[in-house]
Amino acid sequence: MAATSELIDFRRAFLWLLCGMLLPSVALVAFGVVAVANERAAVERRLENEYDARLGVLKDDVDARLQAAATSAARAVDSGGGSGPLAGGGGPLARPDAEADRLAAGRKPGDPLIVSVTSPEARGDPALVEPARRAAALPRNSHLFASSDSGGERKVYAVVHTASDRVIAAQIDLLAVAAEVPRLAAARFPKSERGVFRMLAPAAPPPPLATLRRLLEEVAPPSGRATVVARRPLGPPLDGFTLAAELSGDDPAATLAFRNRTWYIALLVLLYAGIGIGFGLTIREMRRAYKLSRLKTDFVANISHELRTPLTSVRLFAETLRQGRVQGAEQQECLDQLASEAQRLSGMVEKLLDWSRLESGRKMLKREPTDLRGLFDHVQEIFRAQQLGTTYQTELDPGLPEIAVDRDAMAQAVLNLLHNAVKYTGPDKRIRLRGRRGGDGTVAIEVADNGVGIRPYERKRIFERFYRADDLLSRHTEGTGLGLAIAKRIVEAHGGRIEVESQEGKGTTFRIELPPTA
């Protein structure tokens, strides 16, 4: 009942441990999954905000560059001379000055963004009529921008009211503007910056603009495996066009997310590996603790039973002698029985003390070269003195080397095996103690009997402390469950090993293999 209660306590403790470790780990896993999923979005937002601000600065630089190109075109026209305004008092465009148009057309624009400079009338583009009217009403040295899609081609103009009171239309080269964007970005931002800045044509332009888009990509080609992280639309006269910031190479958000995901999975594997190892060790320790508790419970029950029998006999014989109920030979028999039962009690206590000394390491071994014949003689003397009411045969191969052992300790180990053979054989006892050569040059000591044998699943447990086979013969045989455990511990302390071979109903052989002194 106590063992069952302890098992329930162990299971309850294990369930609490399981909940206490798994629930936080599951919450941690859920949090990590959400964090990794949000990490890429957070990186993309950060990059977008960062590069959007830079595109805002670059957009201002592009606008300033267009302003500078318009001013340069006006200066080029003014420096060419000529007389008479293109826009006189008779109206915004009263009378064209052919000489001025000729001078303006023949003058170099003075800026790489300007394709050509002429009067608005000379362009023959209806989209310039209204911008030219508005420019004529502006103060001198003022300008405005206009765009036209006439003829299926996008054209951009700077309509300028020059200092010489002329109104001119300077056509701006879109390809030159696109080529100017990376240069402006390089001048504005550090050279180590991974970002690539480009001007993009409308996403879905009509066929003529599709050609322009291809030309823009030729002027400022996209970098391989580039990722657009931010876009900013341009205003007039470049409405429809977009400034784009690209990061060359792999997508940084994807790279960071992959790196974080890899680290997270690796740490998660380590976490669950640690939890698994911890659970395994905990289960093993709990099973050992439960098994030890059960063994102790069984030991208390066994030792109580074993001690009760001789104590009852001692009390009975002592009471008989005290009351004087027996005389002569019967009195001597009672005294012999008292001595025998006292010897049994002494043997049980001695086994417990031996195990305690072996467990605590207080049993010191005095190893010395020992001949196997001398060891067997010493074992036989002790066995005969114990008066177990049986004998055994001794077999010894010739020419065996000496072994380095503590003679008393090894004799105790062999005696424990002999006692085990005596207890678990029937009336027709055939017990043999053999000495022969073992494998790998070792010396083997064997104790064989013709007893009931040991069941296969018990062969590994019979060397455990306090363990006794659960069968009818064991229940009717005295013992503490320490004899074989003590024998195994003594043999291992000498650097040897102990093995068992058994067949049910045919007998058992215990084999001790010890290294020779050489």
Side-chain angles (χ1 to χ4, degrees):
M1 193 63 155
T4 304
S5 177
E6 290 178 357
L7 177 60
I8 294 174
D9 292 338
F10 282 134
R11 288 177 177 175
R12 186 182 296 113
F14 176 73
L15 288 177
W16 278 111
L17 176 65
L18 188 67
C19 295
M21 296 185 68
L22 280 185
L23 291 180
S25 66
V26 170
L28 179 62
V29 170
F31 174 78
V33 170
V34 173
V36 171
N38 292 338
E39 179 68 19
R40 178 166 183 170
V43 172
E44 289 176 347
R45 284 195 300 269
R46 180 178 62 80
L47 291 174
E48 182 180 0
N49 293 336
E50 179 182 349
Y51 280 93
D52 184 69
R54 297 183 184 182
L55 288 179
V57 175
L58 186 59
K59 178 179 179 296
D60 294 339
D61 290 346
V62 171
D63 292 339
R65 184 65 185 88
L66 292 175
Q67 302 282 350
T71 302
S72 176
R75 289 176 180 172
V77 171
D78 288 338
S79 64
S83 60
L86 292 177
L93 296 173
R95 175 177 57 83
D97 189 333
E99 181 61 21
D101 286 348
R102 184 185 64 79
L103 291 173
R107 177 67 57 184
K108 290 184 179 180
D111 192 290
L113 296 188
I114 304 301
V115 177
S116 61
V117 179
T118 61
S119 65
E121 295 83 358
R123 294 289 179 184
D125 192 339
L128 290 178
V129 174
E130 182 60 26
R133 191 186 308 278
R134 290 168 53 197
L138 295 175
R140 296 185 181 186
N141 291 325
S142 299
H143 63 271
L144 55 82
F145 294 102
S147 61
S148 171
D149 289 334
S150 62
E153 182 181 0
R154 171 64 67 91
K155 296 179 181 179
V156 175
Y157 301 98
V159 183
V160 186
H161 189 177
T162 67
S164 58
D165 200 21
R166 295 188 180 95
V167 176
I168 62 172
Q171 183 178 355
I172 297 174
D173 189 351
L174 290 176
L175 297 180
V177 174
E180 193 76 2
V181 169
R183 189 188 67 79
L184 293 173
R188 174 68 70 173
F189 305 119
K191 292 183 179 180
S192 60
E193 180 64 52
R194 285 201 307 150
V196 176
F197 298 89
R198 301 171 54 230
M199 188 176 80
L200 304 179
L209 290 184
T211 303
L212 175 62
R213 184 178 182 182
R214 179 178 56 78
L215 294 175
L216 289 177
E217 291 180 353
E218 291 178 359
V219 171
S223 55
R225 294 191 304 173
T227 303
V228 177
V229 294
R231 297 174 186 267
R232 176 162 291 221
L234 292 170
L238 300 176
D239 47 328
F241 290 85
T242 305
L243 287 179
E246 299 175 344
L247 291 183
S248 58
D250 296 329
D251 184 357
T255 302
L256 180 60
F258 176 77
R259 184 187 65 187
N260 291 345
R261 190 162 55 247
T262 302
W263 275 106
Y264 177 71
I265 293 174
L267 294 176
L268 202 62
V269 169
L270 291 178
L271 170 66
Y272 276 103
I275 291 177
I277 293 173
F279 270 125
L281 294 176
T282 302
I283 293 173
R284 188 182 70 174
E285 291 302 317
M286 292 179 69
R287 290 183 62 185
R288 288 178 59 185
Y290 167 69
K291 185 165 64 175
L292 179 60
S293 176
R294 189 184 63 183
L295 289 175
K296 287 181 178 178
T297 302
D298 295 341
F299 167 73
V300 170
N302 292 335
I303 201 65
S304 299
H305 174 73
E306 298 300 330
L307 291 175
R308 186 184 299 114
T309 302
L311 285 174
T312 301
S313 299
V314 168
R315 186 173 67 251
L316 176 63
F317 288 122
E319 184 68 20
T320 301
L321 291 173
R322 186 176 65 85
Q323 294 180 359
R325 296 177 182 175
V326 292
Q327 298 293 331
E330 291 182 350
Q331 183 178 11
Q332 183 62 41
E333 185 178 353
C334 286
L335 291 175
D336 292 341
Q337 291 293 336
L338 278 174
S340 176
E341 296 300 325
Q343 182 66 29
R344 285 178 60 188
L345 287 173
S346 176
M348 293 181 187
V349 173
E350 190 63 31
K351 277 190 177 182
L352 293 175
L353 292 176
D354 284 341
W355 178 258
S356 176
R357 286 190 289 265
L358 285 171
E359 283 284 271
S360 61
R362 290 184 288 109
K363 187 176 181 65
M364 305 300 295
L365 299 177
K366 298 179 180 179
R367 300 175 64 175
E368 57 185 5
T370 302
D371 179 64
L372 209 59
R373 171 65 66 183
L375 176 64
F376 281 9
D377 292 342
H378 183 55
V379 169
Q380 187 172 16
E381 291 176 4
I382 301 175
F383 188 86
R384 186 181 300 113
Q386 292 176 348
Q387 298 180 356
L388 298 176
T390 187
T391 59
Y392 62 87
Q393 296 179 358
T394 302
E395 299 176 6
L396 190 64
D397 290 351
L400 293 176
E402 292 183 337
I403 51 177
V405 296
D406 184 314
R407 192 177 72 159
D408 291 335
M410 188 55 62
Q412 180 184 358
V414 176
L415 281 168
N416 287 351
L417 297 180
L418 288 172
H419 289 167
N420 191 78
V422 171
K423 287 189 293 185
Y424 293 101
T425 52
D428 181 22
K429 300 181 185 294
R430 293 194 298 273
I431 303 173
R432 290 179 295 174
L433 174 61
R434 296 189 297 231
R436 62 182 184 83
R437 294 185 181 275
D440 300 328
T442 59
V443 176
I445 301 174
E446 294 181 349
V447 175
D449 62 56
N450 62 333
V452 296
I454 304 171
R455 287 172 288 193
Y457 64 89
E458 290 182 331
R459 292 172 191 170
K460 292 184 179 180
R461 299 197 59 193
I462 57 175
F463 294 105
E464 296 178 4
R465 53 187 175 179
F466 310 134
Y467 178 79
R468 301 192 71 198
D470 187 16
D471 53 28
L472 184 61
L473 183 59
S474 296
R475 287 194 290 270
H476 288 81
T477 305
E478 65 177 31
T480 59
L482 287 175
L484 294 180
I486 292 174
K488 184 175 186 291
R489 185 62 62 89
I490 291 174
V491 171
E492 290 178 347
H494 284 84
R497 65 177 182 269
I498 185 169
E499 300 173 346
V500 60
E501 296 178 359
S502 182
Q503 292 183 359
E504 292 187 64
K506 295 184 178 181
T508 303
T509 299
F510 287 93
R511 181 181 301 106
I512 298 173
E513 292 191 3
L514 298 169
T517 54

